[in-house]
């Protein structure tokens, strides 16, 4: 299960401390202008070492496109790509070789496969999301042609959260601060919290909000291929994600149907809704309104303080992690959420083209 998607498909490979990570994107429509600068910018948003509230690991994360592009446009053939690992400190993990780190995939990988790469988590490392960002950038380039735009931003860190609907924020401000929050005052509070947590050798979680604008009606399948289910599966496949909700989500359960129903209107000759509690999806199919959702991320599992655990022989031991780790994953996860959203929307757009003449 290293492949994601039905028509627009991504297959990834690589480990955190291996030679490289990369992938193959199949199903990319032909004739799409491939902006390599844009793809690299998307990777730069994810890369480590961006600020004081992210890991200090320094990786240039330069992408190399190996196939599927000719004279600056996609050919319709598989696009192979690679990003070489350059700044591994594998020795930082020597003391963890025989231990099961709390809340990591060490035990589950060892139990399932009988072996594991202890260096940085190997295949379970968040570094593998590089491949998702490359595929997401390619999907965004295709979605540009359709007028579909993808946004994500940090809406909560710990107990500090935005108190307004996404539509009341200027989402172009998301990239103006280190935590990627469109509210500058809240962003500063979030940054201070992350810095405080980091000083304690601890970590903190939060929420990322995703928004899709310009999505046409009709994307998604009526039964097991619902659009919101595909988005949920995509988000829940991201490292450290613990929850997904779309539209009003859990907060809507306290209201009555008379408060939640989105009444239909005709606006400028088009079908619209007076409200959008449904989050742009009804019956598993997009209705043409903005799609919005929230993704919950747990605190990073690696702490720079003592923790109790066991080794592979069942002995109780004390673990003190070394190395360079994120105190909060959210700032670097924002582009990953956007990338997976773009992959889902493009895949379902291509699927939808085969449902009617």
């Amino acid at each position: 299960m290293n492949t994601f998607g039905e028509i627009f498909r991504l297959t990834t490979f690589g480990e955190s401390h291996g030679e490289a990570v990369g992938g193959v994107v199949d199903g990319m429509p032909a004739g799409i202008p491939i902006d390599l600068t844009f793809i690299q910018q998307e990777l730069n948003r994810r890369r480590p070492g961006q600020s004081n509230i992210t890991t200090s690991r320094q990786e240039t994360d330069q992408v190399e496109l190996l196939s599927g592009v000719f004279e600056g446009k996609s050919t319709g053939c598989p696009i192979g790509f690679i990003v070489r690992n350059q700044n591994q400190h594998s020795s930082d993990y020597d003391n963890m070789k025989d231990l099961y780190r709390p809340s990591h995939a060490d035990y589950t990988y060892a139990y399932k496969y009988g072996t594991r790469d202890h260096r940085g988590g190997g295949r379970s490392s968040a570094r593998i999301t590089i491949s998702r960002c490359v595929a997401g950038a390619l999907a965004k380039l295709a979605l540009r042609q359709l007028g579909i735009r993808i946004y994500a931003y940090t809406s909560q860190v710990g107990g500090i959260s935005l108190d307004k609907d996404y539509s009341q924020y200027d989402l172009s401000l998301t990239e103006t601060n280190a935590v990627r929050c469109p509210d500058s005052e809240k962003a500063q509070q979030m940054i201070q919290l992350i810095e405080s947590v980091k000083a304690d050798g601890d970590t903190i979680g939060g929420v990322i909000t995703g928004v899709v604008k310009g999505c046409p009606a009709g994307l998604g399948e009526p039964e097991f291929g619902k659009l919101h289910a595909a988005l949920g599966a995509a988000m829940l496949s991201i490292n450290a994600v613990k929850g997904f909700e779309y539209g009003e989500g859990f907060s809507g359960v306290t209201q009555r149907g008379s408060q939640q129903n989105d009444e239909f209107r005709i606006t400028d000759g088009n079908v619209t809704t007076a409200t959008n509690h449904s989050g742009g999806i009804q019956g598993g199919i997009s209705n043409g309104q903005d799609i919005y959702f929230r993704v919950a991320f747990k605190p990073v599992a690696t702490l720079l303080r003592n923790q109790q655990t066991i080794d592979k022989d069942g002995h109780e031991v004390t673990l003190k992690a070394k190395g360079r780790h994120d105190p909060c994953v959210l700032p670097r996860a924002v582009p990953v959420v956007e990338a997976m959203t773009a992959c889902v929307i493009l895949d379902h757009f291509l699927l939808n083209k085969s449902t009617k003449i």
Side-chain angles (χ1 to χ4, degrees), residues 21-23 34-44 60-66 79-84 130-131 133-135 137-138:
V21 296
I34 301 301
D35 185 343
L36 188 58
T37 299
F38 172 75
I39 297 172
Q40 187 59 55
Q41 288 173 345
E42 292 294 275
L43 276 184
N44 292 346
T60 58
D61 289 350
Q62 291 292 318
V63 63
E64 303 172 42
L65 300 185
L66 306 177
I79 298 178
F81 62 88
I82 192 171
V83 175
R84 301 182 189 278
I130 283 174
S131 300
C133 286
V134 174
L138 291 168

Side-chain angles (χ1 to χ4, degrees), residues 6 24 43 47 53 72 74 81 115-116 124 127 139-140 148 171 209 231-233 242 258 266 275 301 303 330 332:
E6 296 294 327
V24 177
L43 276 184
R47 70 174 176 81
I53 60 171
S74 58
F81 62 88
T115 184
R116 69 181 177 91
S124 67
R127 184 158 178 76
K140 282 184 177 182
I148 300 173
L171 301 187
T209 295
L231 284 168
K242 288 295 186 180
S258 57
I266 296 294
T275 54
L303 311 183
L330 274 76
R332 295 176 59 212

Side-chain angles (χ1 to χ4, degrees), residues 234-254:
M235 298 307 135
L236 290 165
S237 74
I238 300 172
N239 308 60
V241 170
K242 288 295 186 180
F244 171 83
E245 62 177 358
Y246 76 102
E248 291 293 313
F250 288 99
S251 64
V253 302
T254 60

Side-chain angles (χ1 to χ4, degrees), residues 21 56 63 73-74 132-133 141 155 163 175 179 203 222 299 348:
V21 296
S56 60
V63 63
K73 294 184 178 181
S74 58
R132 300 171 182 235
C133 286
L141 291 174
S155 54
D163 52 10
E175 296 294 318
V179 77
T203 62
H348 276 264

Side-chain angles (χ1 to χ4, degrees), residues 8-178:
F8 182 83
R9 306 185 72 187
L10 166 67
T11 299
T12 72
F13 66 84
E15 294 81 35
S16 175
H17 286 233
E19 290 297 317
V21 296
V24 177
V25 170
D26 204 358
M28 180 71 174
I32 304 297
I34 301 301
D35 185 343
L36 188 58
T37 299
F38 172 75
I39 297 172
Q40 187 59 55
Q41 288 173 345
E42 292 294 275
L43 276 184
N44 292 346
R45 296 171 67 211
R46 193 224 70 92
R47 70 174 176 81
Q50 297 180 45
S51 70
N52 187 51
I53 60 171
T54 64
T55 171
S56 60
R57 179 174 177 170
Q58 295 295 321
E59 291 273 7
T60 58
D61 289 350
Q62 291 292 318
V63 63
E64 303 172 42
L65 300 185
L66 306 177
S67 63
V69 179
F70 180 66
E71 295 182 341
K73 294 184 178 181
S74 58
T75 64
C77 298
I79 298 178
F81 62 88
I82 192 171
V83 175
R84 301 182 189 278
N85 296 328
Q86 297 179 331
N87 192 227
Q88 310 102 313
H89 287 182
S90 298
S91 60
D92 288 342
Y93 297 89
D94 286 348
N95 68 320
M96 307 178 195
K97 182 178 180 180
D98 298 322
L99 306 181
Y100 297 140
R101 293 171 296 170
S103 290
H104 282 77
D106 298 347
Y107 169 71
T108 52
Y109 266 56
Y111 189 91
K112 180 177 179 65
Y113 297 107
T115 184
R116 69 181 177 91
D117 184 347
H118 68 278
R119 305 166 303 165
R123 186 69 174 153
S124 67
S125 169
R127 184 158 178 76
I128 308 306
T129 59
I130 283 174
S131 300
R132 300 171 182 235
C133 286
V134 174
L138 291 168
K140 282 184 177 182
L141 291 174
L143 293 174
R144 277 183 186 177
Q145 313 299 309
L146 304 170
I148 300 173
R149 302 173 305 283
I150 310 291
Y151 303 91
Y153 61 91
T154 298
S155 54
Q156 182 173 343
V157 174
I160 302 170
S161 62
L162 302 189
D163 52 10
K164 299 176 183 177
D165 181 81
Y166 76 91
S167 62
Q168 299 183 53
Y169 292 101
D170 181 353
L171 301 187
S172 69
L173 299 177
T174 298
E175 296 294 318
T176 62
N177 53 74

